[in-house]
Amino acid sequence: MPKNMNAWKILTEEEYILAWDDFDLKFDFHPSTRKKDWPGIKEPNPSLTFRISHIFGKEKEHYKSLNDKLMDVFLQAFKCLVPKYGWIFALNWQHQCYKFYPHFPFELNKYGEWMVPILPNGDYYIFFEKNLDFGVFGHPWEGTMCIFGEDLIAKIEQNKPSLFTEIIRVNGKTL
């Protein structure tokens, strides 16, 4: 591993525009706090969408435990799917965005989370492979996470985070 390599590399303006354009073009991203506008993207096939709203409003320890497990599961899945020196996009809607190198060491932020959190706890957080073959779309107002791509779904299903107790949509279709 190269010395001084940071797991979080800020996107250039051009990378930022291209990443958002690619994501929007494929998934028709339409942010909204209104229920009638949800789910916020055209959920692809294959995809699983989990309700996660039950994490909010709980005891601090309960929230931390579920979030820590969520981060661990996704980090392990990303490490399995991304080559050793590879990266995925980590987008934070209307904020700084990154290339995330999951194999490189990093510290959690002052809130005990990743630079771009995996848990949508106040904004849209989106992680995806540069060809959009797999990723996760977190919707903070709907209280959901949509996992897409056969390989990522399989990894998450093998080691499902305890937060994922209820699937509400499969391939964009409500159950």
Side-chain angles (χ1 to χ4, degrees), residues 8-11 20 67 71 78 88-93 95-100 106-109 113-121 123-127 136:
W8 300 95
K9 182 180 177 207
I10 297 171
L11 296 182
W20 278 109
N67 192 29
M71 289 187 293
F78 291 156
I88 57 176
F89 285 110
L91 305 185
N92 181 351
W93 188 55
H95 296 281
Q96 205 158 49
C97 299
Y98 299 85
K99 287 181 181 176
F100 174 46
F106 63 93
E107 293 183 15
L108 300 178
N109 66 21
E113 297 179 316
W114 296 354
M115 187 70 72
V116 172
I118 193 75
L119 178 71
N121 60 4
D123 217 334
Y124 293 99
Y125 301 132
I126 307 160
F127 291 78
V136 57

Side-chain angles (χ1 to χ4, degrees), residues 153-167:
I153 290 170
K155 291 294 178 198
I156 297 304
E157 287 287 313
Q158 288 172 1
N159 185 23
K160 192 182 294 182
S162 41
L163 179 60
F164 288 178
T165 59
E166 181 185 3
I167 296 173

Side-chain angles (χ1 to χ4, degrees), residues 4-58:
N4 301 323
M5 190 63 180
N6 189 338
W8 300 95
K9 182 180 177 207
I10 297 171
L11 296 182
T12 65
E13 184 176 351
E14 181 180 357
E15 290 170 330
Y16 178 94
I17 291 167
L18 288 172
W20 278 109
D21 284 353
D22 287 349
F23 183 79
D24 187 40
L25 183 63
K26 180 158 184 172
F27 298 106
D28 188 27
F29 177 50
H30 46 280
S32 178
T33 59
R34 297 178 302 187
K35 189 175 185 173
K36 71 177 189 72
D37 297 327
W38 298 343
I41 61 169
K42 180 182 173 205
E43 295 176 338
N45 184 356
S47 67
L48 296 176
T49 301
F50 294 89
R51 182 176 318 283
I52 55 144
S53 54
H54 58 281
I55 192 173
F56 302 108
K58 301 286 184 184

